[in-house]
Amino acid sequence: MSDRIISWHSAPSKPAYTPPAGAVDAHCHVFGPMARFPFSAKAKYLPEDAGPDQLFALRDHLGFSRNVIVQASCHGTDNAATLDAIAKSEGPDGFKRARGVAVVDPAVDEAGLAALHDAGIRGIRFNFLKRLVDDAPKDKFLDVTARLPESWHVVIYFEADILEELRPFMDAIPVPLVIDHMGRPDVRQGPDGKDMMAFRRLLDSREDIWFKATCPERLDAVKEGGMGAPWDNFAAAVAPLVADYQDRVIWGTDWPHPNMQDEIADDGHIVDMIPRIAPSAALQEKMLVTNPMRLYWPEEL
Ligand SMILES: O=C(O)c1cc(C(=O)O)oc(=O)c1
Protein backbone atom coordinates (compact mmCIF):
# COMPACT_ATOMS: atom_id res chain seq x y z
CA MET A 1 0.00 0.00 0.00
CA SER A 2 1.72 3.18 -1.07
CA ASP A 3 -0.60 5.67 -2.76
CA ARG A 4 -2.54 7.90 -0.43
CA ILE A 5 -6.15 8.34 -1.43
CA ILE A 6 -8.66 11.18 -1.31
CA SER A 7 -12.25 10.22 -0.58
CA TRP A 8 -13.83 13.60 0.08
CA HIS A 9 -15.23 16.35 -2.11
CA SER A 10 -12.90 19.31 -2.55
CA ALA A 11 -15.69 21.92 -2.69
CA PRO A 12 -18.95 20.63 -1.22
CA SER A 13 -22.01 22.66 -2.18
CA LYS A 14 -24.02 24.65 0.31
CA PRO A 15 -27.03 22.51 1.25
CA ALA A 16 -30.51 23.86 0.53
CA TYR A 17 -31.58 22.41 3.89
CA THR A 18 -30.70 24.33 7.06
CA PRO A 19 -30.20 22.12 10.15
CA PRO A 20 -31.75 23.25 13.44
CA ALA A 21 -29.70 25.19 15.99
CA GLY A 22 -27.36 22.88 17.86
CA ALA A 23 -27.34 20.15 15.18
CA VAL A 24 -24.79 17.37 15.71
CA ASP A 25 -22.89 15.61 12.91
CA ALA A 26 -22.71 12.37 14.91
CA HIS A 27 -20.61 10.30 12.52
CA CYS A 28 -17.44 11.72 11.04
CA HIS A 29 -13.74 10.93 11.21
CA VAL A 30 -10.31 12.53 11.03
CA PHE A 31 -7.30 11.15 9.17
CA GLY A 32 -3.92 12.19 10.56
CA PRO A 33 -2.25 14.48 9.89
CA MET A 34 0.06 11.58 9.16
CA ALA A 35 3.26 13.41 10.13
CA ARG A 36 1.96 13.70 13.71
CA PHE A 37 -0.42 10.76 13.85
CA PRO A 38 0.86 7.93 11.65
CA PHE A 39 -1.65 5.41 10.35
CA SER A 40 -1.78 1.91 11.79
CA ALA A 41 0.56 -0.69 10.29
CA LYS A 42 -2.60 -2.79 9.81
CA ALA A 43 -4.57 -0.04 8.01
CA LYS A 44 -6.45 -1.29 4.96
CA TYR A 45 -6.35 2.10 3.24
CA LEU A 46 -3.92 4.98 3.35
CA PRO A 47 -5.73 8.31 3.11
CA GLU A 48 -4.49 11.83 2.57
CA ASP A 49 -4.65 13.97 5.70
CA ALA A 50 -8.16 15.09 6.65
CA GLY A 51 -7.63 16.88 9.91
CA PRO A 52 -9.67 18.90 12.39
CA ASP A 53 -9.37 22.26 10.62
CA GLN A 54 -10.98 20.79 7.52
CA LEU A 55 -13.63 18.99 9.57
CA PHE A 56 -14.63 22.07 11.54
CA ALA A 57 -14.72 24.25 8.40
CA LEU A 58 -17.10 21.69 6.87
CA ARG A 59 -19.20 21.68 10.06
CA ASP A 60 -19.68 25.44 9.75
CA HIS A 61 -20.24 25.32 5.99
CA LEU A 62 -22.99 22.71 6.33
CA GLY A 63 -24.69 24.51 9.22
CA PHE A 64 -23.87 22.11 12.06
CA SER A 65 -22.82 22.98 15.62
CA ARG A 66 -21.06 19.90 16.92
CA ASN A 67 -19.27 16.73 15.83
CA VAL A 68 -18.97 13.21 17.12
CA ILE A 69 -15.65 11.95 15.80
CA VAL A 70 -15.55 8.20 15.36
CA GLN A 71 -12.13 6.58 15.35
CA ALA A 72 -11.46 5.36 11.81
CA SER A 73 -10.01 1.91 11.19
CA CYS A 74 -6.90 3.35 9.52
CA HIS A 75 -5.75 4.61 12.93
CA GLY A 76 -6.18 1.23 14.62
CA THR A 77 -6.37 1.46 18.41
CA ASP A 78 -4.25 4.62 18.68
CA ASN A 79 -6.85 7.31 19.31
CA ALA A 80 -4.39 10.22 19.35
CA ALA A 81 -5.68 11.85 16.15
CA THR A 82 -9.28 11.65 17.33
CA LEU A 83 -8.37 13.06 20.76
CA ASP A 84 -6.35 15.84 19.16
CA ALA A 85 -9.34 16.82 17.04
CA ILE A 86 -11.66 16.83 20.06
CA ALA A 87 -9.17 19.05 21.94
CA LYS A 88 -8.99 21.41 18.95
CA SER A 89 -12.78 21.77 18.89
CA GLU A 90 -12.60 24.03 21.93
CA GLY A 91 -13.76 27.55 21.16
CA PRO A 92 -12.85 30.83 22.87
CA ASP A 93 -15.61 30.13 25.40
CA GLY A 94 -13.70 27.04 26.59
CA PHE A 95 -16.45 24.75 25.37
CA LYS A 96 -15.51 21.70 23.25
CA ARG A 97 -17.78 21.23 20.26
CA ALA A 98 -16.72 17.65 19.59
CA ARG A 99 -16.82 14.36 21.45
CA GLY A 100 -15.72 11.00 20.23
CA VAL A 101 -15.92 7.25 19.93
CA ALA A 102 -12.67 5.32 20.39
CA VAL A 103 -11.34 1.99 19.23
CA VAL A 104 -9.46 0.36 22.08
CA ASP A 105 -7.18 -2.57 22.65
CA PRO A 106 -9.62 -4.78 24.59
CA ALA A 107 -6.95 -5.20 27.27
CA VAL A 108 -7.32 -1.51 28.21
CA ASP A 109 -7.77 -1.01 31.94
CA GLU A 110 -10.16 1.24 33.83
CA ALA A 111 -7.57 4.01 34.20
CA GLY A 112 -7.04 4.01 30.42
CA LEU A 113 -10.77 4.26 29.84
CA ALA A 114 -11.11 7.03 32.42
CA ALA A 115 -8.40 9.01 30.60
CA LEU A 116 -10.36 8.63 27.36
CA HIS A 117 -13.49 9.85 29.15
CA ASP A 118 -11.67 12.95 30.35
CA ALA A 119 -10.55 13.60 26.78
CA GLY A 120 -14.16 13.53 25.51
CA ILE A 121 -14.73 9.90 24.50
CA ARG A 122 -18.19 8.50 25.25
CA GLY A 123 -18.15 5.09 23.57
CA ILE A 124 -16.05 2.40 21.90
CA ARG A 125 -16.42 0.97 18.44
CA PHE A 126 -16.37 -2.67 17.38
CA ASN A 127 -15.79 -3.12 13.66
CA PHE A 128 -16.77 -6.43 12.03
CA LEU A 129 -16.03 -5.55 8.40
CA LYS A 130 -13.45 -7.98 7.06
CA ARG A 131 -12.27 -5.46 4.48
CA LEU A 132 -11.39 -3.04 7.31
CA VAL A 133 -10.02 -5.15 10.18
CA ASP A 134 -8.10 -8.41 10.49
CA ASP A 135 -9.93 -9.75 13.49
CA ALA A 136 -12.87 -8.95 15.76
CA PRO A 137 -12.55 -11.06 18.94
CA LYS A 138 -16.07 -11.18 20.39
CA ASP A 139 -14.99 -12.63 23.75
CA LYS A 140 -12.43 -9.87 24.33
CA PHE A 141 -14.90 -7.23 23.14
CA LEU A 142 -17.49 -8.47 25.63
CA ASP A 143 -14.90 -8.44 28.36
CA VAL A 144 -14.13 -4.74 27.90
CA THR A 145 -17.80 -3.75 27.83
CA ALA A 146 -17.96 -4.69 31.52
CA ARG A 147 -15.33 -2.04 32.34
CA LEU A 148 -16.73 0.96 30.45
CA PRO A 149 -17.21 4.25 32.30
CA GLU A 150 -20.72 5.22 33.34
CA SER A 151 -23.03 6.29 30.50
CA TRP A 152 -20.79 5.03 27.69
CA HIS A 153 -22.13 2.95 24.81
CA VAL A 154 -20.81 0.57 22.17
CA VAL A 155 -20.87 1.44 18.47
CA ILE A 156 -20.96 -1.58 16.15
CA TYR A 157 -20.22 -1.66 12.44
CA PHE A 158 -21.32 -4.78 10.57
CA GLU A 159 -22.89 -5.79 7.27
CA ALA A 160 -26.44 -7.11 6.94
CA ASP A 161 -25.35 -10.65 6.13
CA ILE A 162 -23.84 -11.20 9.59
CA LEU A 163 -26.59 -9.58 11.65
CA GLU A 164 -28.15 -12.88 12.75
CA GLU A 165 -24.77 -14.37 13.58
CA LEU A 166 -23.99 -11.34 15.78
CA ARG A 167 -27.29 -11.38 17.67
CA PRO A 168 -26.09 -13.43 20.71
CA PHE A 169 -23.02 -11.21 20.98
CA MET A 170 -25.06 -8.02 20.81
CA ASP A 171 -27.63 -9.40 23.26
CA ALA A 172 -24.83 -9.92 25.79
CA ILE A 173 -23.50 -6.35 25.66
CA PRO A 174 -24.52 -4.68 28.93
CA VAL A 175 -24.55 -1.05 27.70
CA PRO A 176 -26.53 0.75 24.97
CA LEU A 177 -25.65 -0.06 21.35
CA VAL A 178 -25.40 2.31 18.41
CA ILE A 179 -25.41 0.64 14.99
CA ASP A 180 -23.29 2.26 12.30
CA HIS A 181 -25.04 2.84 8.99
CA MET A 182 -28.02 0.66 10.05
CA GLY A 183 -25.88 -2.44 9.59
CA ARG A 184 -25.62 -1.73 5.86
CA PRO A 185 -29.01 -2.95 4.56
CA ASP A 186 -29.54 -3.42 0.85
CA VAL A 187 -31.80 -0.38 0.44
CA ARG A 188 -32.92 -1.56 -3.00
CA GLN A 189 -35.06 -4.15 -1.18
CA GLY A 190 -37.22 -1.28 0.07
CA PRO A 191 -38.56 -0.50 3.55
CA ASP A 192 -40.09 -3.97 3.99
CA GLY A 193 -37.19 -5.89 2.47
CA LYS A 194 -35.38 -8.73 4.18
CA ASP A 195 -32.54 -6.58 5.52
CA MET A 196 -34.73 -3.83 6.95
CA MET A 197 -37.06 -6.36 8.57
CA ALA A 198 -34.12 -8.12 10.24
CA PHE A 199 -32.82 -4.76 11.42
CA ARG A 200 -36.22 -3.86 12.87
CA ARG A 201 -36.26 -7.17 14.76
CA LEU A 202 -32.92 -6.20 16.26
CA LEU A 203 -34.24 -2.77 17.30
CA ASP A 204 -37.37 -4.38 18.74
CA SER A 205 -35.29 -6.75 20.86
CA ARG A 206 -34.01 -3.95 23.14
CA GLU A 207 -35.06 -0.41 23.93
CA ASP A 208 -31.45 0.75 24.13
CA ILE A 209 -30.31 0.08 20.57
CA TRP A 210 -29.79 3.26 18.53
CA PHE A 211 -28.83 3.61 14.89
CA LYS A 212 -27.28 6.01 12.42
CA ALA A 213 -29.46 6.83 9.42
CA THR A 214 -26.31 7.48 7.46
CA CYS A 215 -24.49 6.83 4.21
CA PRO A 216 -26.78 7.22 1.20
CA GLU A 217 -23.52 7.44 -0.74
CA ARG A 218 -22.46 3.97 0.41
CA LEU A 219 -25.76 2.17 0.52
CA ASP A 220 -27.65 3.36 -2.53
CA ALA A 221 -26.60 1.44 -5.62
CA VAL A 222 -23.63 3.64 -6.23
CA LYS A 223 -22.18 1.50 -8.92
CA GLU A 224 -25.44 1.06 -10.81
CA GLY A 225 -27.03 4.47 -10.91
CA GLY A 226 -23.80 6.39 -10.63
CA MET A 227 -23.02 8.79 -7.83
CA GLY A 228 -25.14 11.67 -6.79
CA ALA A 229 -28.57 12.67 -5.67
CA PRO A 230 -31.37 11.71 -5.59
CA TRP A 231 -30.55 8.44 -3.77
CA ASP A 232 -34.21 7.47 -4.00
CA ASN A 233 -33.76 3.91 -2.72
CA PHE A 234 -32.12 5.18 0.42
CA ALA A 235 -34.88 7.71 1.09
CA ALA A 236 -37.64 5.14 0.49
CA ALA A 237 -36.08 2.46 2.71
CA VAL A 238 -34.87 4.69 5.54
CA ALA A 239 -37.68 7.25 6.05
CA PRO A 240 -40.11 4.69 7.57
CA LEU A 241 -37.39 3.43 9.92
CA VAL A 242 -36.67 6.96 11.13
CA ALA A 243 -40.40 7.61 11.63
CA ASP A 244 -40.94 4.38 13.58
CA TYR A 245 -37.85 4.66 15.82
CA GLN A 246 -37.61 8.42 16.12
CA ASP A 247 -36.19 8.47 19.63
CA ARG A 248 -33.28 6.19 18.69
CA VAL A 249 -31.96 7.64 15.45
CA ILE A 250 -28.91 9.85 14.98
CA TRP A 251 -27.30 11.19 11.82
CA GLY A 252 -23.87 12.06 10.42
CA THR A 253 -22.06 13.03 7.25
CA ASP A 254 -19.51 10.17 7.38
CA TRP A 255 -16.93 12.70 6.18
CA PRO A 256 -14.22 12.07 4.89
CA HIS A 257 -16.06 9.02 3.49
CA PRO A 258 -13.38 6.32 3.88
CA ASN A 259 -13.06 4.05 0.84
CA MET A 260 -15.39 6.10 -1.36
CA GLN A 261 -12.63 7.53 -3.54
CA ASP A 262 -14.23 6.22 -6.74
CA GLU A 263 -17.60 7.83 -6.01
CA ILE A 264 -16.85 11.09 -4.26
CA ALA A 265 -20.03 12.46 -2.71
CA ASP A 266 -20.93 16.13 -2.28
CA ASP A 267 -21.56 16.70 1.45
CA GLY A 268 -24.11 19.39 0.61
CA HIS A 269 -26.17 16.73 -1.20
CA ILE A 270 -25.78 14.37 1.74
CA VAL A 271 -27.20 17.03 4.10
CA ASP A 272 -30.08 17.57 1.68
CA MET A 273 -31.12 13.96 2.30
CA ILE A 274 -32.13 14.91 5.86
CA PRO A 275 -35.62 16.26 5.07
CA ARG A 276 -36.22 13.25 2.82
CA ILE A 277 -35.70 10.77 5.68
CA ALA A 278 -36.98 13.05 8.48
CA PRO A 279 -39.63 15.27 6.88
CA SER A 280 -40.96 17.19 9.90
CA ALA A 281 -39.16 19.79 11.99
CA ALA A 282 -39.94 17.71 15.08
CA LEU A 283 -38.26 14.62 13.61
CA GLN A 284 -35.26 16.64 12.48
CA GLU A 285 -34.87 18.11 15.96
CA LYS A 286 -34.83 14.60 17.46
CA MET A 287 -32.44 13.08 14.91
CA LEU A 288 -30.00 15.99 14.82
CA VAL A 289 -30.18 17.49 18.32
CA THR A 290 -32.10 15.71 21.11
CA ASN A 291 -31.00 12.14 20.40
CA PRO A 292 -27.27 12.74 19.84
CA MET A 293 -27.24 15.07 22.85
CA ARG A 294 -28.68 12.25 24.99
CA LEU A 295 -25.80 10.01 23.95
CA TYR A 296 -22.91 12.47 23.87
CA TRP A 297 -23.73 15.53 25.99
CA PRO A 298 -26.36 14.21 28.44
CA GLU A 299 -25.23 16.60 31.16
CA GLU A 300 -26.58 19.52 29.09
CA LEU A 301 -30.13 18.18 28.89
O1 LIG B 1 -17.43 1.49 4.96
C1 LIG B 1 -16.29 1.93 5.19
O2 LIG B 1 -15.31 1.75 4.46
C2 LIG B 1 -16.08 2.70 6.45
C3 LIG B 1 -14.81 2.71 7.01
C4 LIG B 1 -14.65 3.29 8.24
C5 LIG B 1 -13.36 3.22 8.94
O3 LIG B 1 -12.36 2.95 8.26
O4 LIG B 1 -13.37 3.39 10.15
O5 LIG B 1 -15.67 3.92 8.87
C6 LIG B 1 -16.91 3.98 8.32
O6 LIG B 1 -17.80 4.57 8.96
C7 LIG B 1 -17.13 3.35 7.08
Side-chain angles (χ1 to χ4, degrees):
M1 206 171 30
S2 54
D3 289 344
R4 298 183 69 187
I5 51 180
I6 293 183
S7 47
W8 62 93
H9 200 284
S10 58
S13 60
K14 190 92 184 155
Y17 171 72
T18 305
V24 183
D25 175 354
H27 186 95
C28 52
H29 315 276
V30 287
F31 298 152
M34 188 168 84
R36 271 190 75 201
F37 306 112
F39 297 106
S40 162
K42 295 181 186 166
K44 304 292 184 222
Y45 57 94
L46 189 61
E48 286 290 349
D49 294 342
D53 293 347
Q54 235 180 306
L55 176 65
F56 301 144
L58 182 76
R59 173 198 66 201
D60 295 344
H61 174 74
L62 298 176
F64 282 76
S65 299
R66 305 184 192 212
N67 298 99
V68 177
I69 304 172
V70 177
Q71 170 82 351
S73 63
C74 56
H75 277 297
T77 56
D78 180 349
N79 295 285
T82 297
L83 300 187
D84 171 71
I86 294 171
K88 291 215 167 90
S89 74
E90 182 168 320
D93 54 1
F95 172 75
K96 290 197 185 67
R97 295 172 67 185
R99 281 195 166 156
V101 173
V103 174
V104 295
D105 177 337
V108 64
D109 62 13
E110 279 167 21
L113 292 164
L116 289 172
H117 186 89
D118 291 344
I121 296 295
R122 292 295 179 269
I124 55 171
R125 187 184 201 202
F126 299 149
N127 190 334
F128 285 91
L129 266 70
K130 293 199 170 64
R131 67 178 168 81
L132 296 175
V133 290
D134 291 329
D135 57 339
K138 293 194 196 97
D139 48 345
K140 291 186 182 154
F141 283 172
L142 265 186
D143 202 50
V144 69
T145 63
R147 291 196 295 280
L148 297 182
E150 173 116 27
S151 86
W152 277 33
H153 57 271
V154 161
V155 172
I156 307 190
Y157 191 21
F158 60 83
E159 286 171 318
D161 63 346
I162 65 160
L163 193 165
E164 294 306 331
E165 178 193 326
L166 283 180
R167 282 293 300 271
F169 166 73
M170 289 194 275
D171 291 349
I173 293 177
V175 298
L177 305 179
V178 180
I179 313 296
D180 273 344
H181 318 322
M182 300 165 289
R184 298 190 61 111
D186 181 347
V187 292
R188 291 168 305 179
Q189 296 170 354
D192 304 321
K194 180 172 70 62
D195 291 355
M196 274 300 181
M197 294 317 278
F199 191 61
R200 280 172 178 260
R201 282 195 295 279
L202 174 70
L203 294 176
D204 291 340
S205 72
R206 276 170 64 165
E207 292 283 327
D208 62 349
I209 304 184
W210 307 60
F211 64 97
K212 298 178 185 170
T214 36
C215 289
E217 82 285 13
R218 283 185 199 285
L219 301 179
D220 196 355
V222 243
K223 297 285 183 271
E224 288 163 28
M227 173 44 70
W231 294 316
D232 288 343
N233 293 314
F234 183 90
V238 174
L241 193 75
V242 172
D244 290 345
Y245 298 89
Q246 45 186 280
D247 294 318
R248 303 204 243 158
V249 59
I250 62 176
W251 187 92
T253 54
D254 187 41
W255 189 88
H257 314 287
N259 302 305
M260 293 297 290
Q261 58 276 8
D262 296 331
E263 303 278 352
I264 290 181
D266 179 330
D267 299 281
H269 295 169
I270 291 179
V271 170
D272 279 333
M273 290 302 285
I274 291 171
R276 300 186 63 203
I277 58 169
S280 71
L283 259 181
Q284 292 160 12
E285 179 77 17
K286 285 183 175 185
M287 184 171 83
L288 300 173
V289 185
T290 320
N291 296 347
M293 290 297 286
R294 278 169 62 207
L295 281 171
Y296 294 99
W297 283 271
E299 72 279 9
E300 286 187 41
L301 294 176

